[in-house]
Amino acid sequence: MNPKAIFNWSSGKDSALALYRILQENRVEITSLLTSVNKEFQRISMHGVHVSLLEKQAESLGLPLVKLELPAEPSMEEYQELLFRTMSKFKNQGITHSVFGDIFLEDLRQYREDQLQSIGMQGVFPLWKINTTDLIHEFLDLGFKTIVTCVNESYLNKSFAGRIIDKDFLRDLPADIDPCGENGEFHTFTFDGPVFKNPIGFEIGETVKKTYPKPKSGDDEDNEDYIFWFCDLKAK
C-alpha cells in the first residue's frame, strides 16, 4: 500500500506536470489538493486566479480540495501557524507525505522540508533538478495548456499577461528569463491536459496592475514597490 500524500496545488503548469508525474510513478496515494487562497478576495495566492476556477480544476482532476485561507497580507508567523494547523490535521488522518512542484530553489525546498519535519511528514518533489527547458517542452508535448495570469514587471512587461504558453511564447521570452518562471517571473493557470477529465472553461478579462511594498533592509536605498500585472480569468 502506497503512503498517503496531499498535493500542493497552485493551479499552474508546474503543479500540473508534477501531478502527472507523481500519478505515473504511483509512489504515493494523492488524497487531496491543498491550495493557499487570499480569504478576502477569494483568489489563489500569487497566481490571482479566482477560487471558482480552482474548484473547477479540482472537479476535473477528481480530487478533494482543501483551501488554506490566508489574510490579505499575512505575517510569516500567521502563515506558519495556519499552515501548521492544517498540516497537523492531515497528519492525524494518516497522511505522511506532501508533494510540491518546485524545481530548483534550494532555500524554498529547505523551508518546506523543515516545516514538514516539525510535524513528522516528508516532502516529495517530482520535478526536482530537471532542466526547466526540458520540463516546459515535456509539458507542451503531453498536451497541457496553460495561460499566464501574473507577471512580475521586474522581469517581464504587461504584454506577457494573458498569453497562452506555446512555442511562440517561449521564443519571445528574454534570454535571462527561466522558461518555467521558477524565479517568480510569471505564474499560470492550467486549463487542459492529461490529468484533467475535461478542459476548464474560462473567459479572459482585463489585465490589472497591482503594487506591493518591498521588504526594507537597513542599507537598502531602493524603495520602489514590486509591480505585478494580473490577467483576470472568469469561469464559463
Side-chain angles (χ1 to χ4, degrees):
M1 181 181 295
N2 289 334
K4 293 183 178 180
I6 60 159
F7 190 95
N8 294 270
W9 180 258
S10 72
S11 81
K13 59 182 175 29
D14 300 336
S15 280
L17 185 55
L19 180 60
Y20 173 83
R21 280 180 164 248
I22 205 73
L23 293 174
Q24 293 293 306
E25 292 169 7
N26 195 31
R27 284 192 289 153
V28 295
E29 175 193 347
I30 304 298
T31 62
S32 60
L33 307 173
L34 175 64
T35 305
S36 295
V37 170
N38 181 309
K39 186 176 183 179
E40 180 180 353
F41 298 106
Q42 288 296 292
R43 291 182 180 271
I44 300 171
S45 301
M46 289 311 302
H47 290 239
V49 175
H50 195 270
V51 294
S52 57
L53 283 166
L54 170 64
E55 289 164 353
K56 285 182 176 294
Q57 281 185 322
E59 182 181 354
S60 184
L61 291 168
L63 288 167
L65 172 65
V66 176
K67 288 174 277 191
L68 177 61
E69 294 195 320
L70 303 171
E73 295 182 14
S75 67
M76 183 56 72
E77 291 76 17
E78 287 177 301
Y79 172 74
Q80 289 179 337
E81 174 61 25
L82 289 166
L83 181 63
F84 181 82
R85 279 192 227 155
T86 301
M87 298 306 292
S88 296
K89 289 178 183 176
F90 285 130
K91 181 70 186 303
N92 292 336
Q93 295 167 10
I95 295 168
T96 57
H97 290 67
S98 185
V99 185
F100 300 90
D102 301 320
I103 305 172
F104 60 67
L105 297 179
E106 298 277 2
D107 55 344
L108 181 57
R109 175 168 178 163
Q110 188 62 56
Y111 170 78
R112 298 198 196 285
E113 291 183 326
D114 288 346
Q115 296 297 308
L116 290 171
Q117 187 177 22
S118 70
I119 56 171
M121 293 178 68
Q122 297 179 48
V124 182
F125 300 83
L127 307 183
W128 191 247
K129 293 297 186 182
I130 300 174
N131 179 279
T132 50
T133 298
D134 293 342
L135 281 177
I136 195 63
H137 284 288
E138 177 186 352
F139 178 86
L140 295 176
D141 290 344
L142 284 167
F144 281 106
K145 296 178 182 177
T146 198
I147 183 171
V148 176
T149 58
C150 169
V151 296
N152 183 338
E153 196 177 73
S154 300
Y155 301 102
L156 293 171
N157 62 46
K158 175 184 178 182
S159 70
F160 284 89
R163 286 188 60 176
I164 302 292
I165 293 186
D166 54 16
K167 300 296 171 66
D168 289 337
F169 176 92
L170 297 177
R171 278 193 291 270
D172 291 343
L173 280 180
D176 60 342
I177 300 300
D178 184 79
C180 284
E182 179 69 351
N183 297 304
E185 298 99 325
F186 60 91
H187 300 286
T188 58
F189 174 75
T190 301
F191 57 92
D192 199 5
V195 293
F196 295 104
K197 296 174 185 173
N198 51 266
I200 313 303
F202 65 90
E203 295 176 348
I204 298 177
E206 63 180 333
T207 297
V208 178
K209 178 182 180 181
K210 291 190 177 293
T211 60
Y212 300 91
K214 284 185 178 179
K216 301 296 189 293
S217 62
D219 57 353
D220 188 5
E221 297 181 359
D222 180 8
N223 292 321
E224 291 185 5
D225 292 335
Y226 289 117
I227 298 174
F228 291 86
W229 292 98
F230 290 91
C231 176
D232 190 30
L233 306 179
K234 302 182 185 302
K236 288 175 67 174

